[in-house]
Amino acid sequence: MKWTVSLKKNAQFKQLYKMGKAASNNLLLIFVAKNDCGRNRLGISVSKKTANKAVWRNKMRRRVKEAYMRIESNILQGYDIVVVPRAGIHSAGFDKIVSSLSHLFKRQGLHR
């Protein structure tokens, strides 16, 4: 990711769940909040309800990360973002994931 760093601390995820604005569709749920640094920070959280095996959870995480990298240049900077894939994402095609993520960023007003 060119302009984005990762969220790693559990406290950062919890704060974003509590204070961030949420938007969702049938494939993804995102939480967004403004941060103090000049770049985006991205976290991806795949639950065991979505995919019960670690291999599937990692595949979903990689697909969401790649989808984000495709649209990263069109997203405003200076935000903390958490993406939570939903249960139907494993049967969706990659283009559907990209369009779903782009749609959510447009709804949050972060798409240029």
Side-chain angles (χ1 to χ4, degrees):
M1 293 181 287
K2 207 178 232 185
W3 301 289
T4 305
V5 295
S6 295
L7 284 176
K8 291 186 170 55
K9 304 282 185 186
N10 190 27
Q12 293 172 328
F13 279 84
K14 285 184 177 181
Q15 181 183 9
L16 203 51
Y17 291 144
K18 187 176 181 181
M19 303 301 243
K21 288 180 12 183
S24 67
N25 56 25
N26 58 345
L27 295 179
L28 300 168
L29 168 66
I30 65 169
F31 294 91
V32 177
K34 191 102 169 123
N35 66 23
D36 295 336
C37 58
R39 56 184 5 183
N40 287 341
R41 296 189 296 186
L42 176 69
I44 301 169
S45 176
V46 185
S47 74
K48 288 185 179 181
K49 290 180 183 178
T50 304
N52 61 354
K53 300 212 183 262
V55 173
W56 290 102
R57 288 193 300 274
N58 286 327
K59 183 177 181 180
M60 297 305 111
R61 183 190 54 78
R62 287 191 310 266
R63 290 174 84 187
V64 169
K65 187 174 179 180
E66 179 64 29
Y68 177 82
M69 289 189 320
R70 294 269 173 104
I71 62 171
E72 181 181 22
S73 62
N74 297 327
I75 297 172
L76 298 176
Q77 297 296 310
Y79 291 91
D80 287 341
I81 304 160
V82 171
V83 180
V84 181
R86 292 195 163 174
I89 196 168
H90 57 82
S91 62
F94 182 71
D95 292 334
K96 182 80 171 161
I97 295 170
V98 172
S99 66
S100 176
L101 191 60
S102 179
H103 172 257
L104 290 176
F105 282 122
K106 286 177 186 173
R107 281 183 49 195
Q108 291 285 12
L110 299 179
H111 205 274
R112 293 182 202 190

